[in-house]
Amino acid sequence: MKTVMIDMDNVLTDGVFKEYIEEFYKIEIDLNEIKDYAYVQKLTKKDSKQFWEFVQDKNFYLEAPLFQDCYEVLEKLNSKYDLYIVTSYLWNEEIDVSGHNLKNKYYYLKERLPFIGPEKYIFTTNKSLMNFDIRIDDRLNNLSGATTKLLFTAWHNKDLSKEELKKKNTIRVNSWKEIEDILL
Ligand SMILES: [Mg+2]
């Protein structure tokens, strides 16, 4: 059975970082205008301490829906592949409270994707430590080493050209339906 690494943030769900920044600053953010992966750090830089205090007790995932078709497609993939959810949980700005984030991620996955057991969750900041046949992630660097590399479209990778992706043997996917078409 082939192994599949599935990223969590911006692949299974969005979390609500954006909403917290909007609430903190009383502004509206259009992700279509943002190209930087680390936009949260950038936007909150001058109030970093206060912002991380503001979010530290919040559960980013409580009301975050899974992306469309994610549940159904994963359920089908689960009978054909050996699936792993591989996700980082550390907030470098507020490392001491990152444990909350890990706990929130754990219960979110357990509740929303009950057919994937907790033994298939891998919490790590270094996805290159492991080998997988297939990788699905919104960050190009995290796809290295796989035979099949699927880049899930997100605000920060939209500008990567077809040529660049081809060079890296990577296929762009815009939805879970597209993942289904490729893997099933
Ligand atoms: Mg991600």
Side-chain angles (χ1 to χ4, degrees):
M1 220 181 215
K2 284 185 175 169
T3 54
V4 186
M5 180 202 92
I6 302 152
D7 175 35
M8 179 170 176
D9 293 305
N10 309 120
V11 171
L12 298 181
T13 182
D14 259 340
V16 287
F17 245 119
K18 185 173 94 78
E19 278 83 348
Y20 289 144
I21 301 176
E22 292 179 329
E23 193 184 331
F24 184 75
Y25 284 114
K26 314 260 181 291
I27 54 167
E28 268 185 43
I29 296 169
D30 181 0
L31 279 181
N32 291 316
E33 286 171 15
I34 291 174
K35 300 195 190 301
D36 194 344
Y37 179 77
Y39 79 98
V40 175
Q41 286 75 6
K42 226 178 211 175
L43 286 175
T44 60
K45 200 171 176 190
K46 65 178 168 53
D47 309 299
S48 186
K49 198 171 178 302
Q50 292 87 333
F51 178 73
W52 288 95
E53 273 171 17
F54 171 71
V55 297
Q56 66 173 333
D57 299 323
K58 298 194 186 317
N59 181 348
F60 288 46
Y61 298 96
L62 198 60
E63 297 186 25
L66 286 169
F67 284 167
Q68 183 157 14
D69 304 316
C70 172
Y71 184 98
E72 294 74 14
V73 174
L74 276 175
E75 207 175 22
K76 288 184 204 166
L77 289 175
N78 195 36
S79 53
K80 195 180 164 195
Y81 295 97
D82 189 15
L83 306 183
Y84 294 87
I85 313 277
V86 184
T87 181
S88 168
Y89 67 95
L90 288 178
W91 291 331
N92 291 324
E93 296 74 11
E94 202 56 71
I95 212 106
D96 290 346
V97 296
S98 296
H100 299 317
N101 197 34
L102 189 153
K103 190 181 93 179
N104 295 339
K105 284 188 166 206
Y106 174 91
Y107 285 111
Y108 182 84
L109 293 170
K110 202 160 176 287
E111 206 169 279
R112 304 297 180 107
L113 299 169
F115 48 89
I116 301 177
E119 71 281 4
K120 311 299 275 305
Y121 311 159
I122 299 171
F123 295 102
T124 178
T125 45
N126 189 347
K127 298 182 184 179
S128 69
L129 291 169
M130 292 155 281
N131 291 320
F132 297 95
D133 299 306
I134 299 163
R135 287 177 182 245
I136 308 169
D137 205 291
D138 61 309
R139 299 188 81 178
L140 204 50
N141 287 347
N142 289 336
L143 299 174
S144 296
T147 314
T148 304
K149 304 175 192 178
L150 304 182
L151 182 76
F152 204 92
T153 296
W155 78 92
H156 60 85
N157 68 32
K158 276 194 310 244
D159 290 348
L160 285 169
S161 67
K162 274 190 180 153
E163 290 69 37
E164 279 173 275
L165 295 184
K166 208 172 171 194
K167 248 188 260 163
K168 302 224 165 181
N169 197 19
T170 297
I171 305 166
R172 179 185 289 283
V173 287
N174 297 299
S175 68
W176 275 91
K177 276 280 171 216
E178 288 184 31
I179 295 176
E180 179 178 18
D181 290 343
I182 294 168
L183 297 182
L184 291 169

